Amino acid sequence: MLTHYPRPSVEMDGGTVFHFVDDGIEAVLDRARGYAGERDVRIGGGVATLRAYLQAGLIDEMHLAIAPALLGRGEPLFEGLNLPALGYAVSEHVAGEGAMHLLIGHHQTTRS
């Protein structure tokens, strides 16, 4: 997990271990890929975390659910980001009963 300061790892019931890394987004992603092997790596966190990964082009695919609810001010997710210029495009959209689901993909041909 990306954190602002180092802290010890936490093991949950069932064997899941959360490791806290403060070396930056690339280091966290590299470590997660190492643990995941061939499985998917999923990024969770707040708006600032997601924006950093989008800006760096490090998100291959994002599932965004948009629900018709007014939540207050919040943090703007895409403000100042030009997603098409960063290589992102909507690849699928599905109108569900309670939300619009968008699948947003990154169109980079090579991935390190």
Side-chain angles (χ1 to χ4, degrees):
M1 296 181 116
L2 183 63
T3 185
H4 294 289
Y5 56 91
R7 56 179 105 170
S9 297
V10 174
E11 184 169 354
M12 307 299 287
D13 292 339
T16 299
V17 179
F18 290 97
H19 301 281
F20 299 92
V21 181
D22 65 344
D23 294 339
I25 63 172
E26 290 88 0
V28 171
L29 185 57
D30 287 343
R31 184 180 251 183
R33 285 179 174 156
Y35 287 121
E38 295 297 316
R39 294 174 295 187
D40 286 343
V41 171
R42 297 183 182 216
I43 296 171
V47 169
T49 299
L50 185 55
R51 289 174 54 80
Y53 279 98
L54 284 167
Q55 183 68 43
L58 295 173
I59 293 178
D60 295 326
E61 188 175 78
M62 178 172 62
H63 175 193
L64 183 64
I66 303 169
L70 298 176
L71 301 175
R73 289 179 44 184
E75 277 186 83
L77 179 57
F78 299 123
E79 183 177 36
L81 294 177
N82 184 340
L83 294 180
L86 292 169
Y88 294 99
V90 175
S91 57
E92 185 179 342
H93 65 281
V94 176
E97 198 170 306
M100 169 65 76
H101 299 269
L102 303 176
L103 195 58
I104 300 169
H106 192 264
H107 300 290
Q108 184 173 335
T109 56
T110 59
R111 193 51 78 191
S112 57

